[in-house]
Amino acid sequence: MTDDDKTPRPPIRPLRLAAGALAGLVSGFAAIAVAEPVSAAVRPQAAPVIAVGGAAIDRTPAAVKDWAVRNFGTDDKLVLQLGILVVLALFAVVLGIAVLRFRRAGAAGVLVFGAVGVAAAATRPDTRGFSDTLPSLLGACAGAVLLYVLAGRLELRQTGAPAAPSASAAGPAGAASATAGAPVADWDRRGFVVAASAAALASAGAGALGRSLSGAGGRSAVASRDRLVLPAPASPASPVPRGAGLRIPGAVPFVTPNSSFYRVDTALVVPEVDATAWRLRIHGTGVTRPLTLSFDDLLRRELIERDITLTCVSNEVGGPYVGNARWTGVRLAQVLAECGVRPPSKGGPADQLVARSVDGMTIGSPVEDVMDGRDALLALGMNGEPLPFDHGFPVRMVVPGLYGFVSACKWITDIELTTFDAYDPYWVRRGWARKAPVKTQSRIDTPKPFARPKTGTVMVAGVAWAQHRGIDEVEVRVDDGPWQQARLAAEDSRDTWRQWSFPWQATKGGHTLTVRATDRTGRVQTEQRARTVPDGASGRHSVVVTVE
């Protein structure tokens, strides 16, 4: 071995280190950008970030999902996507630095992220096979090639300019170091800047093209919704009774506007489905006459309109994930009966209805509940207009009295009759209950926690709900005092929430206000605290205020 073989590699100087990190970021950006037009051609859900994010949601424990919904609300999906991008950026920086020493291995590392995207796309519940893997595969290949090219601009090359001898390099006898006058190794700064800039611009163009193509793909769906005029329902909802909504500052409106209605689902990209191409297939155990329905088929049927309050199982005690809307749709039980379906109580072999969404979500509902006479709907409209895309356009399920994760399938495209023993839907496989009737709950909307009202009469107000059972009584307790009856607003129906108010004679100091409801079966809202998993939160809502 020669002395040259033992010579250590020169240290990586800060400017070249920064250029390597930048090369990694530009290459990662290129990989994502190239995947954009490819995913637009395949489908938006196949984009790498969306596929990886969806796979992460699928594999996240129920308790963690519950925590995310509780802390981030409807922004939980944005937080997840930003987190994935941050991880990608850090990974890209590491690879960019690695190529300064290991050009081929560092560039090949980009393919690792591509492999993650390919695996995620291939294992999603709604996967379409090889086509869904193309965006991740082609994007990773583009990123790897680009990083390899940029790494070439970062390689040290002899410039031919001799280095000036250093006095410190002289030996004891004053002889110059053996390295004096040797050529200087340097990298192509100008070539790197030009190549990186060109790559960044090309990537931005590819990303813009992808977004444009994705927008074009959704325009037919938007047009189908814009053209839609819902027929007048054959069975309209009764007018909301006077006095059903409280006119108290801080109280929520009786009808929740579409723009304010809560949204909790796993879709990182909201499906935009063209109503003219939409179909619903009904099949399975006990279905003697399988049926496939188009959107126009539903429009030609008898439409009914009903006020129904929906509640998410992720709603904590006192939480915001509950809303009341006027839904228009077709009776689901009638459609099932036409297919020969009978509930278990009448000898039907299927006890579970599995609804499938276009995004692969599966939601299981008890057949008995869907067919027991309640207003279970294939809903087409919400508050007098076609369903918003966020809430399931063109068609979704609405079943009063059941939490959404066992009833409210959005973007529905398939209904299979089966049994609870034969199949576990998406949420059941992740630790949630098979059956989940809505629990009796109540909430204080005003005063807010830690409010500082003045002494005298303070209006305490809120809502209570026990869908399909109805609310008969609401009581309020101040500190550890006796329960006092609140005034109930007029009831619309047993399937909607009910507003309440209580004029409190507030005295100075800190106080705790607690509310409880009693449903029409006589069951009093329990004080026993339970988390949302597996079948909904329980307990009594309290707020602490300081009266001045």
Side-chain angles (χ1 to χ4, degrees):
M1 180 178 290
T2 66
D3 291 340
D4 289 342
D5 294 329
K6 299 179 181 179
T7 302
R9 293 177 177 177
I12 301 174
R13 298 187 180 279
L15 182 59
R16 187 164 169 255
L17 192 70
L22 179 61
L25 287 173
V26 170
S27 300
F29 174 52
I32 296 297
V34 168
E36 284 283 330
V38 181
S39 63
V42 176
R43 62 189 188 115
Q45 289 83 358
V49 173
I50 303 303
V52 172
I57 291 174
D58 292 344
R59 290 160 176 77
T60 299
V64 177
K65 289 180 185 176
D66 190 43
W67 175 87
V69 171
R70 193 166 61 249
N71 287 274
F72 300 116
T74 54
D75 293 329
D76 58 340
K77 301 170 187 64
L78 175 61
V79 171
L80 174 61
Q81 292 181 70
L82 289 175
I84 292 172
L85 290 173
V86 168
V87 171
L88 172 61
L90 293 174
F91 186 59
V93 167
V94 171
L95 290 179
I97 294 173
V99 295
L100 298 177
R101 297 284 197 199
F102 312 101
R103 183 179 178 186
R104 292 180 181 177
V110 179
L111 299 177
V112 173
F113 181 77
V116 172
V118 167
T123 56
R124 292 286 291 136
D126 61 335
T127 183
R128 297 181 183 176
F130 178 71
S131 63
D132 274 5
T133 68
L134 286 175
S136 295
L137 183 62
L138 296 180
C141 289
V145 170
L146 177 59
L147 185 56
Y148 185 82
V149 171
L150 292 177
R153 301 291 183 181
L154 293 170
E155 285 188 343
L156 295 175
R157 292 181 172 85
Q158 304 300 335
T159 64
S166 169
S168 62
S177 169
T179 60
V184 173
D186 205 354
W187 54 284
D188 184 4
R189 291 174 174 80
R190 184 175 182 277
F192 173 78
V193 171
V194 171
S197 299
L201 288 173
S203 299
L209 174 63
R211 287 188 293 274
S212 175
L213 293 174
S214 295
R219 278 197 279 273
S220 61
V222 173
S224 71
R225 184 179 183 276
D226 290 344
R227 290 193 301 266
L228 178 60
V229 177
L230 293 175
S235 175
S238 302
V240 175
R242 293 185 61 183
L246 298 178
R247 296 184 178 180
I248 296 175
V252 298
F254 179 75
V255 175
T256 308
N258 291 354
S259 60
S260 302
F261 209 94
Y262 75 89
R263 178 197 164 202
V264 178
D265 53 53
T266 63
L268 292 177
V269 175
V270 174
E272 294 186 345
V273 181
D274 186 340
T276 60
W278 175 86
R279 296 293 184 273
L280 174 65
R281 179 184 176 218
I282 303 173
H283 61 105
T285 303
V287 177
T288 59
R289 295 177 293 278
L291 188 63
T292 298
L293 296 168
S294 69
F295 192 77
D296 284 341
D297 290 335
L298 291 183
L299 288 178
R300 285 190 287 266
R301 289 171 172 265
E302 179 183 78
L303 298 183
I304 68 171
E305 185 182 59
R306 295 292 184 267
D307 295 335
I308 299 171
T309 296
L310 298 187
T311 311
C312 179
V313 74
S314 295
N315 198 47
E316 293 280 359
V317 173
Y321 302 125
V322 56
N324 184 53
R326 177 159 290 188
W327 306 92
T328 303
V330 173
R331 292 185 187 275
L332 177 55
Q334 182 177 340
V335 175
L336 294 176
E338 290 177 15
C339 295
V341 177
R342 292 173 295 147
S345 61
K346 296 184 179 179
D351 60 4
Q352 180 180 207
L353 178 158
V354 176
R356 289 183 172 85
S357 167
V358 296
D359 70 344
M361 173 57 65
T362 54
I363 288 179
S365 308
V367 175
E368 193 69 49
D369 290 350
V370 170
M371 301 187 75
D372 68 357
R374 72 185 72 195
D375 291 316
L377 301 177
L378 291 172
L380 319 175
M382 181 179 183
N383 288 333
E385 65 178 71
L387 289 171
F389 285 107
D390 280 357
H391 295 290
F393 181 85
V395 182
R396 66 170 293 166
M397 273 179 57
V398 172
V399 182
L402 302 179
Y403 284 116
F405 84 103
V406 294
S407 67
C409 183
K410 303 182 200 176
W411 315 292
I412 189 172
T413 189
D414 185 276
I415 291 177
E416 179 182 4
L417 278 298
T418 182
T419 65
F420 284 107
D421 290 338
Y423 184 80
D424 285 338
Y426 183 92
W427 292 112
V428 174
R429 294 197 299 269
R430 287 156 178 82
W432 298 79
R434 289 179 171 181
K435 300 179 181 180
V438 172
K439 296 179 179 180
T440 301
Q441 283 288 305
S442 55
R443 185 182 74 195
I444 299 172
D445 290 329
T446 183
K448 299 294 184 186
F450 311 114
R452 305 184 73 87
K454 303 296 184 183
T455 56
T457 302
V458 174
M459 291 303 297
V460 183
V463 289
W465 59 90
Q467 291 95 306
H468 205 57
R469 298 187 302 278
I471 293 294
D472 260 2
E473 186 177 50
V474 172
E475 299 167 285
V476 175
R477 182 174 64 190
V478 180
D479 299 323
D480 294 322
W483 289 102
Q484 302 178 67
Q485 195 164 10
R487 182 180 69 85
L488 286 175
E491 182 181 64
D492 183 0
S493 79
R494 63 178 180 166
D495 290 335
T496 63
W497 60 13
R498 199 164 181 184
Q499 296 192 310
W500 58 268
S501 61
F502 174 73
W504 171 39
Q505 300 304 312
T507 58
K508 281 189 177 183
H511 297 283
T512 300
L513 305 174
T514 306
V515 63
R516 72 179 184 186
T518 302
D519 65 30
R520 194 140 300 151
T521 68
R523 182 177 300 171
V524 179
Q525 178 182 344
T526 180
E527 65 179 344
Q528 183 175 354
R529 302 288 295 192
R531 302 299 297 270
T532 58
V533 182
D535 60 354
S538 67
R540 294 170 182 170
H541 188 216
S542 297
V543 298
V544 175
V545 300
T546 301
V547 180
E548 298 178 334

